[in-house]
Amino acid sequence: METQTQTARGRPREFDPEQALSAALTVFWRRGYEGASMAELTEAMGITKPSLYACFGNKESLFRKALDLYERDKLCYIRSALDEPTAKGVVERLLRGSLAIQTGATDPHGCLGVISAVACATQAESIRDEVIARRASSDAALVARLERARKEGDFPETIEPQALATYLTAVMQGMAVHASAGMSRELLEQLVETTLAVWPGK
């Protein structure tokens, strides 16, 4: 009797949580937070609703975990870009990393953060706020890096790092919107090259 109880309590899950979360990420990435239905999520993840709730919590909790996975696996280039020795090197690494993610052959096109922040209505304000807060953290790191670059003489002192960071973010978000709408990689690459050509300084 004791052995049976231990077996029941120790029974392993019938699915791989990491694989299920990866499948959920793809659905959210393609459909946005509100566009992803629970039926579509559970089908893609290969699990039932009770299993989803037991392992990941509700839909909002699942999305936050998917966002963590997205940042860990898809946006890791952002952290390494900030280590480039020049501001232009930082910008080029960010733009090319963004282009690669947004136009990949296997993942949905566009940016999960942009899609979710733009598409969320009033009832999903907490999700939009979460996405915006995470983006603000990345923006602050970029501004700090550009402030350092200005002190090092990478671009003229008359140019504000905050304005440059806002400009770059607008370009990258615009790329994401165009990518999700089906713009070709070639045109997006031209946007990257143009941005680098007009970037101030070295």
Side-chain angles (χ1 to χ4, degrees):
M1 182 69 176
E2 184 179 350
T3 303
Q4 290 177 344
T5 302
Q6 289 176 344
T7 301
R9 287 177 180 172
R11 181 182 299 162
R13 289 192 178 99
E14 296 176 354
F15 65 94
D16 183 335
E18 187 78 6
Q19 289 182 0
L21 184 59
S22 179
L25 168 58
T26 300
V27 175
F28 283 129
W29 196 346
R30 182 177 294 114
R31 307 279 291 165
Y33 175 75
E34 290 189 323
S37 68
M38 290 298 288
E40 189 174 9
L41 286 165
T42 52
E43 181 179 357
M45 297 167 75
I47 61 177
T48 62
K49 276 188 181 180
S51 294
L52 187 155
Y53 290 131
C55 186
F56 302 105
N58 58 16
K59 181 182 176 183
E60 184 172 327
S61 176
L62 174 64
F63 179 80
R64 292 176 194 277
K65 289 181 173 65
L67 201 55
D68 288 339
L69 179 62
Y70 178 74
E71 291 179 347
R72 187 193 79 192
D73 289 0
K74 307 299 181 181
L75 302 185
C76 52
Y77 69 91
I78 294 177
R79 290 187 294 274
S80 58
L82 297 177
D83 293 331
E84 289 291 321
T86 66
K88 193 163 186 177
V90 170
V91 172
E92 181 166 10
R93 188 80 174 267
L94 288 174
L95 288 170
R96 298 202 186 284
S98 180
L99 178 68
I101 292 299
Q102 294 168 9
T103 61
T106 56
D107 293 321
H109 288 181
C111 171
L112 174 62
V114 172
I115 292 168
S116 300
V118 171
C120 283
T122 305
Q123 59 266 37
E125 258 186 50
S126 62
I127 289 296
R128 184 173 56 196
D129 291 346
E130 171 84 8
V131 172
I132 290 172
R134 292 187 186 217
R135 191 170 66 212
S137 176
S138 296
D139 289 348
L142 176 59
V143 171
R145 178 63 184 86
L146 293 179
E147 286 175 343
R148 191 187 103 196
R150 184 171 68 171
K151 290 177 182 176
E152 294 172 349
D154 274 359
F155 53 83
E157 290 188 2
T158 53
I159 297 177
E160 284 297 324
Q162 178 68 68
L164 270 183
T166 301
Y167 164 70
L168 181 61
T169 299
V171 170
M172 293 171 66
Q173 290 178 354
M175 287 172 59
V177 172
H178 284 307
S180 63
M183 180 177 282
S184 69
R185 183 184 177 94
E186 290 71 25
L187 284 175
L188 291 170
E189 283 177 340
Q190 288 177 18
L191 178 57
V192 169
E193 295 300 333
T194 300
T195 303
L196 291 173
V198 301
W199 187 261
K202 307 170 186 176

